Amino acid sequence: MNPEEQRRLERQVENLEAELNQQKPLQSHFETSQSIQSLYSQFIIWYRGLAPVGQVAVIVGGALIGLSLVSTVVKLISLAFNLAVLGAIVYVAYKFFLAPQARNSNDS
């Protein structure tokens, strides 16, 4: 490595260090929970401002969305389980049917 490349690399390292030192610290958990609490409060205020029919509609819509999400998660878990069982069956079939043939052809 020539001296010019080394100086360029040192400058880049210094620039990166300066950039890291200038960045803000990550948000604390406290600030995040306050933000979530604020959103929840805004939702409650909005919900209470709805007519009773609107409140029922929001509850029914939320329940449908929640059940849909639960159904999706259950289907994904079921898919993962089915793939694991299929993989085990394919592995056992390989060991019993193809692996002995490979050993026999190497012995001959």
Side-chain angles (χ1 to χ4, degrees):
M1 184 180 317
N2 65 27
E4 185 177 312
E5 282 182 28
Q6 187 150 356
R7 273 187 254 123
R8 185 180 56 84
L9 287 175
E10 286 175 4
R11 248 184 282 121
Q12 282 182 338
V13 168
E14 288 172 5
N15 289 342
L16 287 174
E17 286 175 350
E19 208 175 294
L20 285 174
N21 291 336
Q22 290 176 357
Q23 288 181 351
K24 293 185 221 174
L26 296 175
Q27 269 191 338
S28 69
H29 176 68
F30 181 71
E31 291 173 2
T32 304
S33 74
Q34 276 185 338
S35 173
I36 291 171
Q37 206 169 21
S38 172
L39 285 173
Y40 177 72
S41 297
Q42 288 176 355
F43 173 77
I44 293 297
I45 291 168
W46 170 78
Y47 178 77
R48 288 184 181 158
L50 292 175
V53 175
Q55 290 179 351
V56 170
V58 168
I59 290 173
V60 169
L64 288 175
I65 290 172
L67 289 174
S68 174
L69 287 173
V70 168
S71 172
T72 301
V73 168
V74 168
K75 286 178 184 178
L76 286 173
I77 291 170
S78 173
L79 175 65
F81 181 74
N82 288 337
L83 285 175
V85 169
L86 178 65
I89 290 171
V90 168
Y91 177 75
V92 168
Y94 168 77
K95 281 294 193 184
F96 280 121
F97 298 115
L98 296 178
Q101 291 175 357
R103 263 190 266 130
N104 290 340
S105 64
N106 287 341
D107 292 340
S108 317

XYZ file of all heavy atoms in Angstrom:
847
model
N 0.855 -1.169 0.000
C 0.000 0.000 0.000
C 0.901 1.231 0.000
O 1.800 1.358 0.813
C -0.882 -0.053 1.250
C -1.870 1.065 1.279
S -2.971 1.117 2.703
C -3.484 -0.516 2.979
N 0.628 2.149 -0.914
C 1.473 3.327 -0.998
C 1.023 4.381 0.026
O -0.088 4.317 0.559
C 1.503 3.878 -2.429
C 0.149 4.383 -2.897
O -0.674 4.800 -2.093
N -0.067 4.350 -4.199
N 1.875 5.362 0.304
C 1.564 6.364 1.335
C 0.300 7.168 1.039
O -0.433 7.539 1.959
C 2.786 7.279 1.346
C 3.881 6.504 0.699
C 3.236 5.527 -0.214
N 0.019 7.415 -0.236
C -1.169 8.200 -0.583
C -2.453 7.442 -0.217
O -3.387 8.010 0.345
C -1.158 8.514 -2.079
C -2.283 9.433 -2.505
C -2.187 9.767 -3.984
O -1.088 10.139 -4.443
O -3.224 9.642 -4.646
N -2.465 6.144 -0.515
C -3.640 5.329 -0.166
C -3.804 5.261 1.351
O -4.921 5.328 1.863
C -3.485 3.911 -0.721
C -3.766 3.784 -2.188
C -3.646 2.334 -2.645
O -3.872 1.418 -1.836
O -3.322 2.135 -3.822
N -2.710 5.154 2.058
C -2.779 5.073 3.518
C -3.338 6.374 4.108
O -4.159 6.342 5.022
C -1.386 4.790 4.098
C -1.445 4.541 5.577
C -0.358 3.603 6.033
O 0.396 3.075 5.238
N -0.297 3.406 7.323
N -2.912 7.508 3.584
C -3.436 8.792 4.067
C -4.932 8.908 3.784
O -5.693 9.380 4.621
C -2.684 9.954 3.397
C -1.415 10.332 4.149
C -0.776 11.588 3.587
N 0.408 11.145 2.841
C 0.665 11.373 1.566
N -0.136 12.126 0.853
N 1.744 10.912 0.990
N -5.336 8.451 2.591
C -6.748 8.489 2.230
C -7.570 7.612 3.175
O -8.635 8.024 3.660
C -6.931 8.022 0.787
C -8.364 8.152 0.283
C -8.515 7.682 -1.165
N -8.062 6.314 -1.374
C -8.812 5.221 -1.143
N -10.028 5.351 -0.684
N -8.338 4.020 -1.374
N -7.084 6.426 3.474
C -7.785 5.533 4.387
C -7.863 6.119 5.798
O -8.888 6.033 6.469
C -7.112 4.161 4.430
C -7.311 3.286 3.192
C -6.491 2.010 3.303
C -8.777 2.961 2.987
N -6.762 6.742 6.243
C -6.760 7.360 7.573
C -7.771 8.498 7.642
O -8.465 8.662 8.641
C -5.358 7.866 7.922
C -4.388 6.758 8.260
C -2.974 7.266 8.479
O -2.745 8.503 8.440
O -2.088 6.420 8.678
N -7.858 9.288 6.548
C -8.844 10.371 6.498
C -10.265 9.811 6.571
O -11.125 10.348 7.271
C -8.667 11.184 5.207
C -8.172 12.591 5.477
C -8.093 13.433 4.218
N -6.888 13.092 3.455
C -6.869 12.644 2.199
N -7.975 12.515 1.521
N -5.747 12.350 1.597
N -10.505 8.719 5.852
C -11.837 8.105 5.880
C -12.169 7.599 7.277
O -13.291 7.777 7.754
C -11.911 6.946 4.880
C -12.072 7.390 3.446
C -12.194 6.198 2.501
O -11.775 5.083 2.823
N -12.755 6.446 1.320
N -11.208 6.999 7.937
C -11.433 6.507 9.298
C -11.737 7.672 10.230
O -12.670 7.610 11.049
C -10.217 5.691 9.799
C -10.315 5.427 11.286
C -10.097 4.386 9.032
N -10.997 8.759 10.110
C -11.245 9.934 10.950
C -12.633 10.520 10.683
O -13.341 10.898 11.617
C -10.166 10.995 10.702
C -8.814 10.631 11.267
C -7.726 11.611 10.850
O -8.047 12.635 10.192
O -6.560 11.344 11.174
N -13.012 10.577 9.407
C -14.343 11.087 9.064
C -15.441 10.212 9.657
O -16.438 10.720 10.188
C -14.519 11.189 7.548
C -13.693 12.300 6.939
O -13.251 13.211 7.639
N -13.462 12.218 5.640
N -15.258 8.897 9.570
C -16.259 7.990 10.128
C -16.342 8.131 11.653
O -17.428 8.122 12.225
C -15.938 6.545 9.749
C -16.204 6.165 8.299
C -15.703 4.757 8.010
C -17.682 6.270 7.980
N -15.194 8.263 12.313
C -15.198 8.440 13.761
C -15.897 9.738 14.150
O -16.676 9.771 15.098
C -13.775 8.431 14.300
C -13.147 7.047 14.320
C -11.687 7.092 14.742
O -11.098 8.192 14.837
O -11.131 6.006 14.982
N -15.627 10.799 13.406
C -16.280 12.076 13.691
C -17.788 11.965 13.483
O -18.582 12.495 14.264
C -15.702 13.169 12.800
N -18.194 11.249 12.441
C -19.617 11.066 12.162
C -20.295 10.283 13.277
O -21.390 10.617 13.710
C -19.757 10.308 10.832
C -21.016 10.604 10.075
C -21.000 9.901 8.726
O -20.167 10.255 7.877
O -21.836 8.999 8.555
N -19.621 9.248 13.761
C -20.183 8.447 14.853
C -20.325 9.268 16.124
O -21.291 9.133 16.863
C -19.315 7.224 15.124
C -19.418 6.092 14.110
C -18.401 5.004 14.417
C -20.820 5.509 14.096
N -19.368 10.121 16.385
C -19.406 10.940 17.603
C -20.504 11.996 17.533
O -20.990 12.454 18.563
C -18.055 11.596 17.852
C -16.997 10.583 18.248
O -17.309 9.517 18.753
N -15.744 10.914 17.977
N -20.904 12.409 16.336
C -21.910 13.448 16.181
C -23.329 12.907 16.202
O -24.264 13.656 16.431
C -21.695 14.197 14.854
C -20.463 15.058 14.846
C -20.244 15.694 13.487
O -20.985 15.434 12.545
N -19.212 16.510 13.371
N -23.506 11.605 15.985
C -24.847 11.044 15.915
C -25.521 11.085 17.280
O -24.883 10.976 18.324
C -24.807 9.600 15.420
C -24.485 9.511 13.944
C -24.486 8.070 13.468
O -24.567 7.154 14.255
N -24.385 7.901 12.172
N -26.866 11.234 17.244
C -27.647 11.253 18.466
C -27.671 9.854 19.070
O -27.653 8.857 18.343
C -29.093 11.660 18.172
C -29.272 13.065 17.716
C -30.755 13.339 17.603
C -31.064 14.146 16.376
N -32.487 14.308 16.166
N -27.788 9.759 20.375
C -27.938 8.431 20.977
C -29.295 7.839 20.591
O -30.224 8.564 20.239
C -27.863 8.697 22.476
C -28.172 10.141 22.636
C -27.741 10.820 21.356
N -29.397 6.537 20.674
C -30.646 5.874 20.328
C -31.741 6.280 21.296
O -31.483 6.620 22.444
C -30.460 4.351 20.383
C -29.472 3.773 19.381
C -29.301 2.288 19.631
C -29.946 4.010 17.965
N -32.991 6.239 20.814
C -34.117 6.588 21.665
C -34.178 5.630 22.841
O -33.945 4.437 22.705
C -35.429 6.455 20.893
C -35.880 7.685 20.204
C -37.313 7.519 19.700
O -37.785 6.420 19.512
N -37.974 8.623 19.497
N -34.513 6.162 23.966
C -34.625 5.295 25.130
C -35.965 4.584 25.129
O -36.901 4.977 24.443
C -34.476 6.117 26.406
O -35.599 6.962 26.561
N -36.044 3.548 25.918
C -37.286 2.783 26.043
C -38.385 3.666 26.614
O -39.549 3.544 26.247
C -37.050 1.558 26.919
C -38.273 0.760 27.180
N -38.912 0.041 26.194
C -39.005 0.580 28.308
C -39.974 -0.537 26.706
N -40.048 -0.244 27.987
N -38.018 4.579 27.496
C -38.984 5.463 28.139
C -39.676 6.339 27.100
O -40.894 6.473 27.115
C -38.282 6.315 29.190
C -39.198 7.240 29.927
C -40.116 6.751 30.835
C -39.147 8.609 29.695
C -40.961 7.601 31.516
C -39.997 9.470 30.368
C -40.900 8.962 31.286
N -38.918 6.919 26.184
C -39.497 7.776 25.149
C -40.423 6.977 24.245
O -41.481 7.451 23.840
C -38.393 8.442 24.329
C -37.602 9.478 25.089
C -36.421 9.995 24.304
O -36.239 9.573 23.139
O -35.673 10.803 24.849
N -40.044 5.749 23.927
C -40.859 4.909 23.066
C -42.176 4.562 23.758
O -43.237 4.618 23.139
C -40.104 3.617 22.702
O -38.864 3.976 22.103
C -40.891 2.767 21.729
N -42.119 4.219 25.042
C -43.354 3.866 25.736
C -44.265 5.088 25.863
O -45.483 4.957 25.819
C -43.058 3.262 27.105
O -42.645 4.243 28.013
N -43.682 6.278 26.014
C -44.497 7.492 26.060
C -45.185 7.712 24.715
O -46.344 8.125 24.668
C -43.642 8.711 26.410
C -43.414 8.904 27.872
C -42.669 10.200 28.164
O -41.990 10.730 27.292
N -42.790 10.682 29.386
N -44.490 7.442 23.641
C -45.061 7.606 22.308
C -46.233 6.644 22.116
O -47.278 7.029 21.598
C -43.985 7.354 21.257
O -44.538 7.349 19.977
N -46.052 5.410 22.542
C -47.128 4.424 22.417
C -48.306 4.825 23.294
O -49.464 4.727 22.883
C -46.605 3.016 22.782
C -45.631 2.547 21.706
C -47.749 2.021 22.933
C -44.899 1.282 22.047
N -48.010 5.313 24.485
C -49.067 5.750 25.387
C -49.839 6.925 24.787
O -51.059 7.006 24.897
C -48.444 6.149 26.734
C -49.372 6.024 27.896
C -48.611 6.179 29.202
O -47.519 6.739 29.234
N -49.191 5.685 30.277
N -49.119 7.830 24.121
C -49.752 8.971 23.485
C -50.684 8.505 22.356
O -51.805 8.995 22.221
C -48.700 9.919 22.933
O -49.280 10.921 22.161
N -50.230 7.547 21.548
C -51.066 7.012 20.479
C -52.311 6.337 21.058
O -53.415 6.493 20.533
C -50.276 6.016 19.634
C -49.261 6.616 18.666
C -48.435 5.517 18.023
C -49.954 7.443 17.609
N -52.125 5.605 22.139
C -53.264 4.936 22.776
C -54.266 5.968 23.284
O -55.475 5.804 23.097
C -52.757 4.047 23.918
C -53.863 3.364 24.683
C -54.573 2.321 24.110
C -54.209 3.789 25.958
C -55.598 1.704 24.803
C -55.234 3.180 26.659
C -55.919 2.129 26.074
O -56.941 1.531 26.767
N -53.765 7.026 23.894
C -54.660 8.077 24.398
C -55.426 8.735 23.257
O -56.631 8.986 23.377
C -53.865 9.141 25.150
O -53.241 8.582 26.271
N -54.743 9.006 22.157
C -55.408 9.596 21.000
C -56.482 8.665 20.452
O -57.576 9.106 20.080
C -54.398 9.913 19.903
C -53.498 11.073 20.221
C -52.442 11.278 19.138
O -52.329 10.492 18.207
N -51.672 12.344 19.278
N -56.194 7.368 20.427
C -57.179 6.396 19.945
C -58.404 6.374 20.858
O -59.544 6.351 20.377
C -56.563 4.996 19.853
C -57.566 3.929 19.519
C -58.027 3.789 18.216
C -58.073 3.090 20.499
C -58.960 2.817 17.901
C -59.007 2.127 20.195
C -59.449 1.979 18.893
N -58.183 6.382 22.175
C -59.296 6.348 23.127
C -60.168 7.593 22.969
O -61.405 7.506 22.963
C -58.776 6.220 24.581
C -58.128 4.866 24.787
C -59.886 6.447 25.592
C -59.064 3.692 24.619
N -59.548 8.748 22.813
C -60.310 9.989 22.626
C -61.134 9.906 21.343
O -62.319 10.243 21.317
C -59.369 11.211 22.619
C -58.781 11.423 24.014
C -60.097 12.460 22.143
C -57.638 12.417 24.060
N -60.512 9.418 20.272
C -61.221 9.287 18.994
C -62.371 8.293 19.132
O -63.482 8.536 18.661
C -60.236 8.818 17.919
C -60.899 8.424 16.630
C -61.374 9.253 15.665
C -61.168 7.086 16.186
N -61.913 8.520 14.637
C -61.801 7.190 14.934
C -60.919 5.836 16.713
C -62.195 6.067 14.217
C -61.317 4.724 16.009
C -61.942 4.848 14.772
N -62.110 7.156 19.802
C -63.114 6.106 19.948
C -64.322 6.603 20.749
O -65.459 6.332 20.385
C -62.486 4.887 20.631
C -63.447 3.758 20.866
C -63.828 2.925 19.832
C -63.981 3.522 22.129
C -64.715 1.886 20.039
C -64.871 2.491 22.346
C -65.238 1.668 21.302
O -66.113 0.657 21.506
N -64.056 7.323 21.825
C -65.149 7.826 22.655
C -65.977 8.888 21.923
O -67.136 9.118 22.261
C -64.609 8.391 23.962
C -64.140 7.295 24.885
C -63.690 7.834 26.205
N -63.233 6.738 27.056
C -62.417 6.880 28.058
N -61.960 8.074 28.377
N -62.058 5.839 28.777
N -65.398 9.525 20.934
C -66.102 10.533 20.164
C -67.030 9.947 19.112
O -67.829 10.659 18.515
N -66.919 8.636 18.885
C -67.768 7.990 17.878
C -69.171 7.753 18.424
O -69.372 7.641 19.639
C -67.171 6.638 17.472
C -65.860 6.652 16.705
C -65.357 5.235 16.507
C -66.026 7.339 15.367
N -70.111 7.632 17.506
C -71.474 7.247 17.876
C -71.449 5.781 18.321
O -70.530 5.032 17.967
C -72.399 7.417 16.682
N -72.431 5.351 19.099
C -72.451 3.950 19.555
C -72.372 2.932 18.420
O -71.696 1.911 18.543
C -73.783 3.830 20.301
C -74.080 5.219 20.773
C -73.519 6.125 19.707
N -73.021 3.223 17.302
C -72.946 2.312 16.152
C -71.512 2.259 15.621
O -71.004 1.194 15.260
C -73.926 2.765 15.045
C -73.770 1.918 13.802
C -75.355 2.729 15.552
N -70.856 3.397 15.594
C -69.467 3.448 15.148
C -68.547 2.690 16.081
O -67.605 2.020 15.646
N -68.801 2.777 17.395
C -67.984 2.047 18.366
C -68.126 0.542 18.154
O -67.131 -0.194 18.190
C -68.392 2.438 19.788
C -67.991 3.845 20.157
C -68.430 4.240 21.561
O -69.177 3.520 22.211
N -67.958 5.385 22.019
N -69.365 0.098 17.911
C -69.586 -1.332 17.652
C -68.872 -1.738 16.366
O -68.254 -2.802 16.299
C -71.108 -1.639 17.578
C -71.351 -3.052 17.078
C -71.758 -1.422 18.929
N -68.949 -0.899 15.353
C -68.290 -1.207 14.075
C -66.778 -1.312 14.256
O -66.138 -2.206 13.691
C -68.631 -0.141 13.039
N -66.204 -0.424 15.073
C -64.760 -0.473 15.318
C -64.397 -1.756 16.069
O -63.402 -2.414 15.743
C -64.293 0.780 16.110
C -62.886 0.607 16.627
C -64.385 2.013 15.224
N -65.217 -2.143 17.040
C -64.948 -3.380 17.785
C -65.039 -4.592 16.866
O -64.164 -5.470 16.881
C -65.920 -3.509 18.981
C -65.568 -2.470 20.036
C -65.877 -4.910 19.577
C -66.546 -2.390 21.179
N -66.075 -4.639 16.046
C -66.246 -5.771 15.126
C -65.103 -5.803 14.111
O -64.526 -6.860 13.834
C -67.625 -5.695 14.414
C -67.713 -6.695 13.273
C -68.742 -5.917 15.418
N -64.741 -4.651 13.563
C -63.627 -4.598 12.612
C -62.317 -5.019 13.246
O -61.544 -5.778 12.662
N -62.068 -4.552 14.461
C -60.843 -4.942 15.166
C -60.812 -6.429 15.459
O -59.766 -7.084 15.334
N -61.982 -6.982 15.843
C -62.049 -8.421 16.110
C -61.781 -9.219 14.840
O -61.057 -10.221 14.865
C -63.414 -8.775 16.689
N -62.351 -8.778 13.718
C -62.121 -9.487 12.448
C -60.657 -9.433 12.036
O -60.078 -10.428 11.595
C -63.011 -8.905 11.350
C -64.506 -9.223 11.461
C -65.280 -8.488 10.377
C -64.737 -10.716 11.356
N -60.054 -8.270 12.183
C -58.629 -8.143 11.838
C -57.782 -8.990 12.773
O -56.850 -9.679 12.348
C -58.207 -6.665 11.870
C -58.852 -5.913 10.708
C -56.686 -6.526 11.812
C -58.664 -4.412 10.747
N -58.100 -8.976 14.063
C -57.360 -9.788 15.030
C -57.475 -11.270 14.734
O -56.472 -12.006 14.760
N -58.689 -11.733 14.450
C -58.875 -13.152 14.123
C -58.162 -13.523 12.832
O -57.619 -14.619 12.704
C -60.367 -13.476 14.021
C -61.125 -13.475 15.353
C -62.613 -13.653 15.105
C -60.599 -14.551 16.273
N -58.150 -12.607 11.877
C -57.432 -12.853 10.627
C -55.935 -13.003 10.876
O -55.285 -13.886 10.304
C -57.703 -11.712 9.649
O -56.931 -11.842 8.501
N -55.392 -12.151 11.727
C -53.961 -12.250 12.055
C -53.648 -13.558 12.771
O -52.646 -14.219 12.479
C -53.535 -11.059 12.910
C -53.437 -9.718 12.192
C -53.171 -8.598 13.189
C -52.335 -9.762 11.158
N -54.498 -13.940 13.723
C -54.288 -15.204 14.439
C -54.359 -16.373 13.465
O -53.531 -17.291 13.522
C -55.320 -15.351 15.583
C -55.311 -16.757 16.154
C -55.054 -14.336 16.672
N -55.321 -16.336 12.563
C -55.450 -17.391 11.565
C -54.199 -17.479 10.693
O -53.712 -18.576 10.396
C -56.673 -17.120 10.697
O -56.722 -18.008 9.622
N -53.671 -16.349 10.296
C -52.468 -16.329 9.461
C -51.279 -16.925 10.213
O -50.514 -17.717 9.652
C -52.151 -14.890 9.017
O -53.268 -14.387 8.283
C -50.907 -14.841 8.151
N -51.128 -16.568 11.471
C -50.015 -17.105 12.267
C -50.161 -18.616 12.430
O -49.188 -19.364 12.293
C -49.945 -16.394 13.644
C -49.001 -17.109 14.582
C -49.530 -14.950 13.461
N -51.374 -19.086 12.693
C -51.600 -20.531 12.831
C -51.280 -21.242 11.518
O -50.661 -22.312 11.514
C -53.045 -20.808 13.288
C -53.403 -22.283 13.158
C -53.242 -20.334 14.721
N -51.676 -20.656 10.395
C -51.376 -21.269 9.095
C -49.874 -21.314 8.835
O -49.356 -22.298 8.294
C -52.076 -20.503 7.975
C -53.564 -20.760 7.920
C -54.232 -19.946 6.822
C -55.729 -20.139 6.839
N -56.399 -19.319 5.817
N -49.152 -20.263 9.220
C -47.694 -20.257 9.031
C -47.021 -21.318 9.897
O -46.090 -22.001 9.460
C -47.126 -18.871 9.340
C -47.396 -17.800 8.295
C -46.940 -16.436 8.810
C -46.683 -18.134 6.998
N -47.490 -21.467 11.129
C -46.927 -22.496 12.012
C -47.224 -23.883 11.445
O -46.361 -24.763 11.434
C -47.470 -22.331 13.440
C -46.911 -21.049 14.058
C -47.132 -23.540 14.304
C -47.545 -20.661 15.369
N -48.436 -24.068 10.958
C -48.815 -25.344 10.352
C -47.950 -25.636 9.121
O -47.501 -26.762 8.921
C -50.285 -25.305 9.971
O -50.642 -26.452 9.250
N -47.709 -24.617 8.324
C -46.861 -24.785 7.141
C -45.445 -25.184 7.541
O -44.850 -26.081 6.940
C -46.834 -23.494 6.327
C -45.896 -23.471 5.119
C -46.354 -24.473 4.077
C -45.829 -22.080 4.537
N -44.909 -24.537 8.546
C -43.559 -24.871 9.013
C -43.504 -26.312 9.508
O -42.556 -27.061 9.217
C -43.131 -23.907 10.112
N -44.521 -26.736 10.265
C -44.568 -28.104 10.753
C -44.653 -29.092 9.593
O -43.950 -30.106 9.567
C -45.764 -28.278 11.698
C -45.884 -29.658 12.272
C -45.027 -30.088 13.264
C -46.863 -30.531 11.803
C -45.135 -31.366 13.786
C -46.979 -31.803 12.320
C -46.113 -32.225 13.315
N -45.514 -28.815 8.617
C -45.655 -29.697 7.455
C -44.348 -29.797 6.673
O -43.980 -30.876 6.206
C -46.782 -29.215 6.543
C -48.144 -29.454 7.142
O -48.315 -30.321 7.994
N -49.118 -28.682 6.710
N -43.659 -28.679 6.517
C -42.371 -28.714 5.809
C -41.337 -29.528 6.578
O -40.529 -30.244 5.983
C -41.866 -27.296 5.565
C -42.582 -26.514 4.463
C -42.063 -25.087 4.414
C -42.397 -27.191 3.122
N -41.357 -29.435 7.908
C -40.427 -30.222 8.723
C -40.716 -31.711 8.573
O -39.792 -32.524 8.417
C -40.526 -29.795 10.181
N -41.987 -32.090 8.596
C -42.359 -33.500 8.433
C -41.977 -33.981 7.034
O -41.405 -35.071 6.875
C -43.869 -33.695 8.701
C -44.321 -35.086 8.284
C -44.170 -33.450 10.169
N -42.257 -33.174 6.024
C -41.888 -33.545 4.655
C -40.377 -33.697 4.516
O -39.893 -34.641 3.898
C -42.408 -32.498 3.664
C -42.057 -32.745 2.195
C -42.736 -34.015 1.695
C -42.469 -31.556 1.353
N -39.627 -32.788 5.102
C -38.169 -32.889 5.065
C -37.678 -34.161 5.733
O -36.763 -34.828 5.237
N -38.275 -34.523 6.865
C -37.881 -35.757 7.560
C -38.193 -36.977 6.706
O -37.388 -37.917 6.612
C -38.594 -35.836 8.910
N -39.361 -36.977 6.051
C -39.728 -38.110 5.192
C -38.767 -38.231 4.012
O -38.308 -39.327 3.680
C -41.193 -37.965 4.712
C -42.142 -38.172 5.889
C -41.501 -38.944 3.584
C -43.588 -37.829 5.582
N -38.440 -37.115 3.393
C -37.505 -37.135 2.261
C -36.132 -37.612 2.717
O -35.479 -38.414 2.042
C -37.427 -35.738 1.599
C -36.269 -35.651 0.624
C -38.742 -35.421 0.908
N -35.685 -37.186 3.892
C -34.381 -37.598 4.417
C -34.357 -39.102 4.679
O -33.406 -39.794 4.313
C -34.061 -36.825 5.693
C -32.767 -37.246 6.335
C -31.550 -36.864 5.793
C -32.766 -38.045 7.473
C -30.353 -37.260 6.361
C -31.580 -38.444 8.052
C -30.377 -38.053 7.503
O -29.206 -38.451 8.070
N -35.418 -39.619 5.315
C -35.478 -41.053 5.608
C -35.527 -41.849 4.304
O -34.835 -42.867 4.172
C -36.693 -41.365 6.513
C -36.958 -42.851 6.601
C -36.475 -40.779 7.900
N -36.302 -41.381 3.341
C -36.376 -42.070 2.050
C -35.004 -42.067 1.376
O -34.591 -43.089 0.807
C -37.422 -41.403 1.166
N -34.305 -40.981 1.437
C -32.961 -40.899 0.847
C -32.032 -41.901 1.524
O -31.300 -42.632 0.868
C -32.409 -39.486 0.974
C -30.942 -39.394 0.666
C -30.487 -39.420 -0.648
C -29.997 -39.298 1.688
C -29.142 -39.359 -0.941
C -28.653 -39.237 1.414
C -28.216 -39.271 0.100
O -26.887 -39.216 -0.178
N -32.064 -41.928 2.862
C -31.163 -42.827 3.594
C -31.456 -44.291 3.269
O -30.539 -45.092 3.153
C -31.301 -42.604 5.099
C -30.565 -41.403 5.595
C -29.083 -41.622 5.440
C -28.306 -40.586 6.210
N -26.887 -40.703 6.007
N -32.734 -44.646 3.160
C -33.074 -46.047 2.942
C -32.943 -46.481 1.493
O -32.572 -47.617 1.220
C -34.499 -46.339 3.422
C -34.588 -46.536 4.909
C -35.399 -45.709 5.671
C -33.869 -47.531 5.542
C -35.486 -45.883 7.040
C -33.952 -47.713 6.912
C -34.759 -46.888 7.662
N -33.262 -45.606 0.549
C -33.313 -46.040 -0.843
C -32.112 -45.607 -1.677
O -31.613 -46.376 -2.481
C -34.602 -45.538 -1.506
C -35.837 -46.095 -0.855
C -36.727 -45.268 -0.205
C -36.088 -47.455 -0.870
C -37.861 -45.774 0.403
C -37.216 -47.982 -0.267
C -38.110 -47.138 0.375
N -31.639 -44.392 -1.509
C -30.560 -43.908 -2.373
C -29.174 -44.079 -1.766
O -28.227 -44.399 -2.476
C -30.786 -42.436 -2.724
C -32.057 -42.152 -3.546
C -32.198 -40.659 -3.792
C -32.032 -42.912 -4.848
N -29.040 -43.903 -0.481
C -27.732 -44.016 0.153
C -27.177 -45.435 0.076
O -25.991 -45.611 -0.240
C -27.790 -43.545 1.590
N -27.955 -46.498 0.281
C -27.398 -47.853 0.132
C -26.958 -48.147 -1.297
O -25.939 -48.819 -1.502
C -28.553 -48.773 0.530
C -29.420 -47.947 1.414
C -29.288 -46.558 0.881
N -27.658 -47.622 -2.283
C -27.261 -47.836 -3.675
C -25.932 -47.161 -3.954
O -25.092 -47.688 -4.680
C -28.328 -47.301 -4.631
C -29.605 -48.093 -4.606
C -30.677 -47.473 -5.471
O -30.471 -46.420 -6.053
N -31.845 -48.109 -5.531
N -25.710 -45.972 -3.379
C -24.453 -45.259 -3.593
C -23.305 -46.032 -2.973
O -22.223 -46.123 -3.534
C -24.527 -43.851 -3.017
N -23.517 -46.625 -1.774
C -22.472 -47.407 -1.117
C -22.161 -48.663 -1.914
O -21.015 -49.050 -2.063
C -22.911 -47.777 0.292
C -22.351 -46.839 1.323
C -22.571 -47.333 2.727
N -23.818 -46.700 3.212
C -24.825 -47.346 3.769
N -24.768 -48.637 3.961
N -25.895 -46.711 4.153
N -23.188 -49.304 -2.468
C -22.992 -50.532 -3.247
C -22.220 -50.256 -4.526
O -21.391 -51.044 -4.944
C -24.334 -51.196 -3.588
C -24.983 -51.790 -2.348
O -24.326 -52.039 -1.350
N -26.300 -52.005 -2.430
N -22.474 -49.147 -5.192
C -21.764 -48.836 -6.425
C -20.307 -48.460 -6.145
O -19.445 -48.715 -6.958
C -22.452 -47.705 -7.189
O -22.401 -46.518 -6.430
N -19.999 -47.893 -4.964
C -18.612 -47.578 -4.595
C -17.845 -48.846 -4.237
O -16.643 -48.911 -4.437
C -18.580 -46.603 -3.413
C -18.984 -45.214 -3.811
O -18.951 -44.861 -4.986
N -19.389 -44.420 -2.834
N -18.517 -49.863 -3.676
C -17.860 -51.107 -3.280
C -17.452 -51.931 -4.492
O -16.506 -52.679 -4.452
C -18.774 -51.936 -2.382
C -18.994 -51.281 -1.026
O -18.170 -50.425 -0.663
O -19.978 -51.621 -0.348
N -18.183 -51.853 -5.617
C -17.922 -52.704 -6.777
C -16.671 -52.328 -7.485
O -16.166 -51.334 -7.614
C -19.043 -52.629 -7.795
O -20.303 -52.657 -7.211
